[in-house]
Every structure is written in C-alpha cells, then in structure tokens.
DNA sequence: CGACGGTATTGAATCGTTTCATCTGACTCG
DNA sequence: CGAGTCAGATGAAACGATTCAATACCGTCG
C-alpha cells in the first residue's frame, strides 16, 4: 500500500526536462528559465515530490544536522540550552538532534559513534566524561565540536562555559553576608567539573571573608535531581552542628531539599537559608521562591551553536585557519525569599 | 586539515579484499571466513572507518531514525514521554529525534517536511493541529505515524492516548467528594483536545453528583505554563463568588497558581484546594505537594514507539496488512496535601 | 576421475541526488 | 554572413554503501 517513492527522475520525465534542470530549479533557480521553473514546480506539487536528504548528503559528504548532547534532559536548564542552540541552528538552516547522556560516559561514547555514522555537521556537547576521551573519535573524523558548560582545555576545541568558580563564590558570599557561619554544600558526582568549581568558588569566598575552610561542609549526592535533594536534607539535618544555610549544586537538589525541610518543619529561610544553582523556571515557582545563581542558559546554547557554525564554515573555505575560542560567561545571583533572613 | 574520509573501498584495498566482503563482514559476519573477518576488523580499527549512514539509507530507502514531535519540551511530562519512546526505539536499534512544536501547527508542518526529507522510519506526534491536516504529507509518503496523547480518528493511524475525560472526572469527583461546590477549571488553548476532554470529564462528574453545570467556572489561559498559572490565580481571586477549589489542566499551571495563591496569602488547601494534571516530578516537590492526575507518560511513549515499530515491520513484509490500533490508557489520581481539607 | 556441493569471495549494478563540462539555439555585431 | 556571446538545458560521472548473480576453490562421493 505504501506509495512508491517519487524521485527526481520521475519529476524530470513528467515535466519533460532533464534531471539536471530539476536539480537546478532547487539549487540555483536563477539559472533556469522562469517558465520552465514554474512547470517543474507544478509537477513537484502534483507528484508530492520531496528531495531525499540522504542522497544529498551522500553527495555533499555531511548532513544538515548538528547534534546536541546534554547531561540530563530532565533538567530544565538543559532544555533552555537546547532551545538557544536550536534557534541559532535553524536560523542557519540546520536541524538539531538532541540526545541525553544521563551523565554516563558510555552513553556519550555510543551517541558520538551514532553521530559519526550520521556524518553530522557538528556536535555540541556537555561532556559526561571528564577526560574528553570520548570526543577523540570526533577529532579523528574532523567533525567540529564545541563544549558547552565546560571550559575546554587547550586545543580540545571551542567551548562556551559559565564561570562556575565565580558562581560558587557568589552563592557562598551571599550567605556569608547574611551572617551565616556554618554552610553546607550539597554537591553531586565528583567527576563533574562544575561540581568541583562551584565548591572551589565557595571556599574562595569563605577564605576571602577570613573564615576557616571548615565553615563549609560538603554533602555529596549520587544524582543531581529532586530525589537527591530529599536525601541530602536528611543527612543535612543529621549533622552534629547543624548548618544554618545550604548551597545546592543545582536547583533540582534545592527543590527536593526545600520540600524535605518543609516536611520536617524546618522553616526556610529562618532556620535554614537555601541557595540553588541554574535559576530554572521552577525555582521561582516554589512556595518560598528560591534564591539561585542564574546561568545564561539559552545564550550559552546560542553562542555554542554560533561558534560551531563558524568553525564549520571555516572548515569549508580551508583558507582561513580556524582558531579555537573559549567564551566564558558570568553567572548572576538572583536573590529571592529562600535566603533572606526575616527582618529582626 | 580535516582528515579525508575513509570509505569502504579504502578498507577493502588495505585488507586486500573486495568491497563486497567488507560489507558482508558488517551485515552477515557468518558468511565471511573468520580469519578474513578479523583481518578486516583490524583494518577498520586502524583506519578508524565508520559506515556512512547516508549511503546505507540511500540504498535501503529509509533512515534508522524515528521522529518524536512534542507540544512543549519545557514540560517534564513530554520529557517523560520522550524517555519512554527513546528506550523502546533504541532497544530496536533506532535513534530518536525529538523536536518541539511549541503548540504551533506551522512549526509542526515545517518539522514534518523535514522528517520526510530525512526519510525517517516513522513519526510519533502529539498533534498541535487538531485537524490532522499537517499529517497528510506523511500519509501521502506512506510514512508510518502514531499519535501520542491523542485519540486518532478512524483511519488516521494508530494512537496511544490517555482517557482525558476519565481524568477530568477523577479530578472533579475528588474535589466534589471533599465537599467543594464551586470549582474553577483553569484551562488552556481551546484547540487542544485534551483541554476539552478534561472539561467534559469534570462536567460529567458534576452531573453525576446531581449538581448544576454552573458549579464549574472555566478560566482559560493562553499558555499551559507556570506564568499562565500565575495569571489565572489573579483572575480566580477576582471572581465574584470565589470558588473553593481549582482544577488545573496541567501541573505547570497548578504550580504557578499555587505560588501566586501563596503570595496572596490564600492558604492551600484550607482556603483553596488545588488539583493538577500530569503528575510531573516537580508537582510532588512543591511545599504543599500537589494532588494530580497521573498519566503513564513513559508508558505512553514506549507503547507508541512499539506500535510504530510494529507498523514499520508490517510495511516491510507486505503480506500482513497493518491494522490501526488505538490504545487508551487510564489515568490515576494521586492525592497529596494540596487538596485535602484539614481535619475539622 | 569427473560430477557435485558447499563455502568464501568477487564485482557490477543500484539507490537519488549534485555538479560540471558540454551542447544547443537564438541573438548581436562587425 | 560568419564569428562570438550568452542563457538554458543536457546527461554522465560521482558520492559510499548494499545486494546478488556469478565464480573460484576445495573436498567428497560414486
């Protein structure tokens, strides 16, 4: 029952021209006589002909798609990044394929392989593997890639990242300024650079305030999600000297934590101030709106895509040698109720 | 600088065999002598050869990718659907390309065109256009498609949906059982079938309780998101006879609404009971956990993908004629604090 | 020894485009 | 009238894989 696919030859025959002319109507309309063009377009319409991308890319060597590999599709932060990237890519006539590594280097490697098979035009990636080894095949194939939310090492390619050290310092600095002297840092998987940098930033702020490093107590979690936040709350409340403030490595953790605190009857912010990270939409929708470190997520996606497109076109005209660039954006603290002491 | 792509011919030459043999090593290894196979694999490894998908699909006529078109990537409900679909597809060796229509029929049509160009194996779609007209090109090209979260009309193809009428009835019935007699329905764009069905269900429950239709006051919103919920709250509180309970067409609305109520000092659930829809993870993470109608989102994605795969293989062996199937899943009410009257 | 069977390999045809060198007329100009 | 120009159209080669009929080789059996 499936219709037989109609190809460019069928169109050519029906319009009484050669395949070359049909192809030209699509790719350089100005070189085809107007009336021929119209006749062909009419036939295309009538037969419902659609170009086969696979045939085009076979000829051109690479597809019109860029891939985006994110750590967690369930985190709205990455959804925002994806949106930014998608907009930029579509403006350039490219499609975006978004895939989720769930922070697993193995998944990451698998997807990279898939992308190479697809001969994607380029790859945007928030790396799950800190070594960057999973990206080696891309380099080998000469496929441009840009790291997102991660500063690339020298010669590893372009990157767009946010200064996580500064972000950590902002969060901790804010809590210190509110008078807190025992602060918990709810972190995540230690192999993620972001986690480490945010801690570093927090410690810097503490040192700058002339306080000892012990001011910060780290509470690691296995997963950067809401459930992880709930778990962390239990451990937080079980600490011998209970902190009066907590800085969470992302908003999902903060939300889970905040809920568990509420359930345990611990008042936010009076008994426990909370600061999150990412400033996702949901963060401002909690009953006690969450103070959070905002990352310019959509911008990051957009910039990364633009950098990638630049690199792609530099590859084309081999004359201009491409210089890897590293864009570092600055985070911003958004203060809301969850970290403001009641006026006393 | 970009490495020259290595093709199957290079491998064949380097291994001293014909291209056919190399191809066979990949596609029917058992028909190649073990030692030849090993030699070829070694060469593949050494040269870093990767099959070109475009060439394969050109030959086979369709790609190894299925597309998933969702209404709103920012809604975790659809992320769950995507996860379910992705798992099923990858189990069958297919990739999934997820795209976001943002509820715009125009975007939907554009993406459909893209999918046809890509000759995707099949399409899963949560339709933004109620007429189903945007799907016509798919039918024309004989590309299998399954509607997700929407009951397809006869002969429009397979579908996997959740009984939204039942869901609406569950929500309203629950509120009625709690003694509420003035209920608001915060709805969304009227062209979405889900919105209409949930209202229908609510009205059925009201009728079943022997109450007048006026028991339900509809508050429409433009967008099914958190901001829409905040807006709705203002209108809700401005109503002449303020309802004592509100049923929101999805959880995002409910979250925005709940926050605005909190800010306005309206106690949930004492002064206003709230019920949402979808039961997204975030819904249970609010300070006052949200009562919500749970949809088996991941199951829906999985089932839809499975139905699609079935249809795909039925198309292959043209012997078995494919019968369109319609799976209707049942929603489930998850009662949490936001709708439970304090014990009086 | 010749016919046969089975396994492993070959190489040409094919998929649907794009590209480019070539061709065709029509028109202009000296 | 012949040469030159130019817009438009042509058709074959190429892209990189898969597939399949044909072949080569080897051992076995009658």
């Amino acid at each position: 029952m499936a219709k037989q696919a109609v190809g460019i030859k069928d169109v050519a025959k029906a319009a009484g021209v050669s395949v070359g002319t049909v192809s030209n109507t699509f790719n350089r309309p100005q070189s085809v006589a107007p009336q021929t063009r119209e006749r062909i377009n009419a036939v295309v319409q009538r037969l419902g002909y659609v170009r086969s991308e696979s045939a085009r890319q076979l000829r051109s060597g690479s597809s019109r798609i860029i891939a985006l590999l994110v750590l967690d599709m369930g985190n709205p932060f990455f959804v925002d990044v994806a949106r930014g990237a998608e907009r930029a890519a579509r403006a350039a006539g490219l499609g975006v394929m978004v895939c989720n590594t769930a922070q697993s280097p193995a998944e990451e490697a698998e997807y990279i392989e898939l992308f190479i098979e697809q001969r994607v035009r380029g790859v945007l990636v928030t790396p799950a593997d800190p070594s960057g080894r999973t990206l080696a095949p891309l380099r080998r194939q000469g496929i441009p890639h840009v790291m997102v939310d991660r500063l690339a090492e020298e010669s590893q390619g372009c990157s767009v990242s946010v200064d996580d050290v500064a972000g950590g310092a902002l969060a901790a600095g804010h809590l210190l300024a509110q008078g807190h002297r025992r602060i918990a840092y709810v972190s995540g998987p230690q192999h993620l650079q972001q986690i480490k940098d945010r801690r570093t930033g927090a410690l810097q702020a503490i040192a700058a305030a002339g306080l000892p490093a012990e001011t910060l107590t780290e509470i690691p979690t296995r997963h950067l999600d809401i459930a992880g936040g709930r778990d962390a709350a239990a451990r937080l409340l079980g600490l011998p000297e209970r902190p009066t403030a907590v800085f969470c490595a992302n908003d999902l953790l903060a939300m889970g934590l905040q809920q568990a605190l509420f359930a345990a009857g611990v008042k936010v912010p009076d008994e426990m101030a909370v600061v999150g990270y990412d400033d996702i939409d949901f963060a401002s929708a909690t009953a006690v709106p969450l103070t959070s470190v905002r990352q310019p997520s959509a911008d990051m996606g957009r910039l990364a895509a633009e950098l990638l497109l630049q690199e792609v076109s530099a590859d084309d005209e081999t004359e201009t040698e491409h210089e890897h660039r590293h864009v570092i954006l600055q985070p911003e603290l958004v203060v809301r109720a969850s970290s403001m002491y009641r006026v006393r």
Side-chain angles (χ1 to χ4, degrees), chain A residues 70-76 78-79 100-103 126 224-225 252:
Chain A
V70 300
L71 289 174
D72 178 11
M73 277 271 268
N75 186 340
F78 290 109
V79 177
N100 186 12
T101 59
Q103 297 177 26
T126 55
L224 291 165
D225 56 18
L252 300 183

Side-chain angles (χ1 to χ4, degrees), chain A residues 6-31:
Chain A
V6 7
I8 201 174
K9 277 193 285 226
D10 305 296
V11 175
K13 197 176 303 174
V17 295
S18 75
V19 293
T21 305
V22 178
S23 177
N24 281 337
T25 15
F26 287 118
N27 303 312
R28 345 135 133 60
Q30 78 291 356
S31 84

Side-chain angles (χ1 to χ4, degrees), chain A residues 209-226:
Chain A
L211 295 168
E214 292 72 40
T215 303
L216 196 73
T217 308
E218 181 158 358
I219 303 181
T221 64
R222 290 180 59 80
H223 301 291
L224 291 165
D225 56 18
I226 294 178

Side-chain angles (χ1 to χ4, degrees), chain A residues 26-207:
Chain A
F26 287 118
N27 303 312
R28 345 135 133 60
Q30 78 291 356
S31 84
V32 176
Q35 61 168 8
T36 314
R37 210 188 308 156
E38 268 177 49
R39 184 155 38 98
I40 291 175
N41 282 330
V43 173
V44 166
Q45 207 62 32
R46 181 160 56 82
L47 300 186
Y49 165 75
V50 181
R51 299 223 278 304
S52 154
E53 257 301 304
S54 26
R56 307 189 70 191
Q57 40 182 90
L58 172 57
R59 193 81 231 288
S60 70
S62 94
S63 80
R64 307 186 58 70
I65 288 188
I66 68 177
L68 169 57
L69 213 39
V70 300
L71 289 174
D72 178 11
M73 277 271 268
N75 186 340
F77 166 71
F78 290 109
V79 177
D80 284 347
V81 172
R83 261 201 270 262
E86 180 158 16
R87 190 158 315 156
R90 287 184 66 80
L94 298 180
V96 178
M97 181 167 183
V98 185
C99 299
N100 186 12
T101 59
Q103 297 177 26
S104 144
E107 287 269 345
E108 180 169 297
E110 209 171 312
Y111 272 118
I112 297 273
E113 188 71 8
L114 178 69
F115 296 156
I116 296 178
E117 284 184 2
Q118 303 278 348
R119 301 290 192 270
V120 298
R121 200 64 144 269
V123 179
L124 301 177
V125 52
T126 55
D129 182 351
S131 70
R133 222 167 310 161
T134 47
L135 302 184
L138 288 180
R139 270 189 287 280
R140 178 165 192 175
Q141 302 284 340
I143 295 181
H145 52 281
V146 173
M147 293 200 190
V148 184
D149 197 27
R150 164 77 171 277
L151 181 62
E153 291 165 33
E154 287 311 311
S155 79
Q156 295 255 346
C158 293
S159 67
V160 178
S161 55
V162 176
D163 188 339
D164 282 309
V165 175
L170 273 177
H174 168 66
L175 290 173
L176 293 171
Q178 301 275 324
H180 295 282
R181 290 296 176 266
R182 286 195 309 282
I183 303 177
Y185 172 45
V186 174
S187 66
Q190 296 298 315
H191 67 265
L192 293 179
Q193 190 63 40
Q194 292 92 325
I195 301 297
K196 288 187 256 182
D197 286 351
R198 289 167 198 175
R199 176 182 44 228
T200 304
L203 288 173
Q204 281 180 6
I206 287 168

